[in-house]
Amino acid sequence: MASTHTYQQDPRNADIQININGELFHRDQAVVSVFDSGFILGDGIWEGLRLHNGVIPFLDKHMKRLWEGAKALDLDLALTREELQARLYHTVDANGMDDHVHIRLMVSRGIKATPYQDPAVTISGPTIVIIPEYKNPDPALNDRGVNLYTVYVRRGYADVQDPRINSHSKLNCIFGCIQAAKAGADEALMLDPHGHVATCNSTHFFIVRDGEVWTSSGDYCLDGITRRNVIDLCKANDIPVYEKNFSVMQAYGADEAFVTGTFAGLTPVFDIDGRRIGDGRRGPMVDRLQALYRELIGNECARGRA
């Protein structure tokens, strides 16, 4: 089934090497313990990264978010940012990778003496896994657009589970993903506890109304790297942009809509809950922002490796 993360299959992925705690393993031999905190409890954090022309764009921003998440979870990464960045590049270089690569960086609290949630029973350092894969977004999505379905599961309050932490514990997003898929949609549109639009289950959501770009307040979603880059691009190019509360009804009446994410950048949305958005085609604002984002990626890669 299609989704916002539909990609072109690549046979080279059958022989990738995966980095586990600094050691490389063929994907068929890459395993972690059944006592690992990530497996037992979803106790960990992660980042999704891209490799463009030998460079991981916005790596400093991803590292900052990872370290902030680790601090919130009281998780010691046991290495420096520079060491982790070097490990990321060592992994893609060992795989002979240069472009069109998606990297999943996962950090769990480590191995436990027994299956129990208390961090005190952790008996190892963190488990750090780096999975690089050749993944090119399906180009058909740019013309087909994606369709969203508003789901019952909400993005909740920070005192329940802070949605601004990129944690392994994604069960509410998975519930949303399942409901959207059952409804025949590509992704779930999720609301906040007050009924305002918050985000999607794995991407961030924007609408365009009368030349203005709107996205959620950010109170109930991860501050996505691509989300923030798009907001900053709007500000730098005199495009009115607002982080604000708005309703699904206002999304239905938008001139354009799109989602953002590290994997595919900007992808247009043509349908929400069976309502066609605008004229059901990619609009001028999406075209402009896609071009600006491609330029931003190019400039970031021209700076070279961090």
Side-chain angles (χ1 to χ4, degrees), residues 259-300:
V259 293
T260 64
T262 298
F263 175 62
L266 282 75
T267 305
V269 173
F270 293 167
D271 183 283
I272 303 173
D273 301 336
R275 278 79 163 181
R276 187 177 69 177
I277 305 304
D279 61 5
R281 295 181 296 176
R282 192 173 65 251
M285 185 65 78
V286 169
D287 279 342
R288 183 181 180 190
L289 289 173
Q290 284 179 330
L292 289 170
Y293 185 68
R294 286 192 295 268
E295 182 182 0
L296 179 66
I297 291 284
N299 292 338
E300 180 76 7

Side-chain angles (χ1 to χ4, degrees), residues 170-206:
K170 293 288 184 182
L171 195 57
N172 67 328
C173 297
I174 295 168
F175 274 129
C177 181
I178 292 169
Q179 188 185 357
K182 295 290 187 183
D186 298 311
E187 181 127 340
L189 185 62
M190 302 177 72
L191 309 182
D192 69 23
H194 310 288
H196 304 125
V197 171
T199 185
C200 296
N201 63 271
S202 69
T203 57
H204 287 89
F205 180 68
F206 289 75

Side-chain angles (χ1 to χ4, degrees), residues 117-128:
Q117 64 182 251
D118 191 341
V121 302
T122 307
I123 58 174
S124 77
T127 301
I128 302 178

Side-chain angles (χ1 to χ4, degrees), residues 98-275:
D98 183 69
D99 204 8
H100 305 302
V101 174
H102 188 74
I103 305 166
R104 175 60 67 95
L105 167 62
M106 295 173 284
V107 182
S108 83
R109 195 176 300 276
I111 297 171
K112 293 185 173 295
T114 187
Y116 181 54
Q117 64 182 251
D118 191 341
V121 302
T122 307
I123 58 174
S124 77
T127 301
I128 302 178
V129 177
I130 301 168
I131 303 177
E133 291 183 301
Y134 293 100
K135 278 188 176 179
N136 216 14
D138 182 357
L141 281 179
N142 207 34
D143 293 317
R144 178 180 75 80
V146 297
N147 65 88
L148 307 179
Y149 183 77
T150 306
V151 297
Y152 75 89
V153 64
R154 302 290 178 101
R155 286 299 181 103
Y157 292 105
D159 60 353
V160 177
Q161 181 175 324
D162 194 338
R164 288 167 289 196
I165 298 175
N166 209 17
S167 73
H168 283 183
S169 303
K170 293 288 184 182
L171 195 57
N172 67 328
C173 297
I174 295 168
F175 274 129
C177 181
I178 292 169
Q179 188 185 357
K182 295 290 187 183
D186 298 311
E187 181 127 340
L189 185 62
M190 302 177 72
L191 309 182
D192 69 23
H194 310 288
H196 304 125
V197 171
T199 185
C200 296
N201 63 271
S202 69
T203 57
H204 287 89
F205 180 68
F206 289 75
I207 62 174
V208 181
R209 291 175 62 98
D210 300 322
E212 298 177 348
V213 175
W214 296 5
T215 192
S216 71
S217 67
D219 292 338
Y220 298 95
C221 69
L222 182 74
D223 189 15
I225 306 298
T226 310
R227 174 185 184 270
R228 183 55 52 189
N229 282 334
V230 168
I231 292 169
D232 290 343
L233 281 172
C234 288
K235 292 177 179 178
N237 290 276
D238 298 321
I239 299 171
V241 60
Y242 300 96
E243 296 176 77
K244 60 184 290 184
N245 291 325
F246 60 92
S247 69
V248 177
M249 182 189 70
Q250 289 172 299
Y252 293 158
D255 303 314
E256 301 177 52
F258 59 93
V259 293
T260 64
T262 298
F263 175 62
L266 282 75
T267 305
V269 173
F270 293 167
D271 183 283
I272 303 173
D273 301 336
R275 278 79 163 181

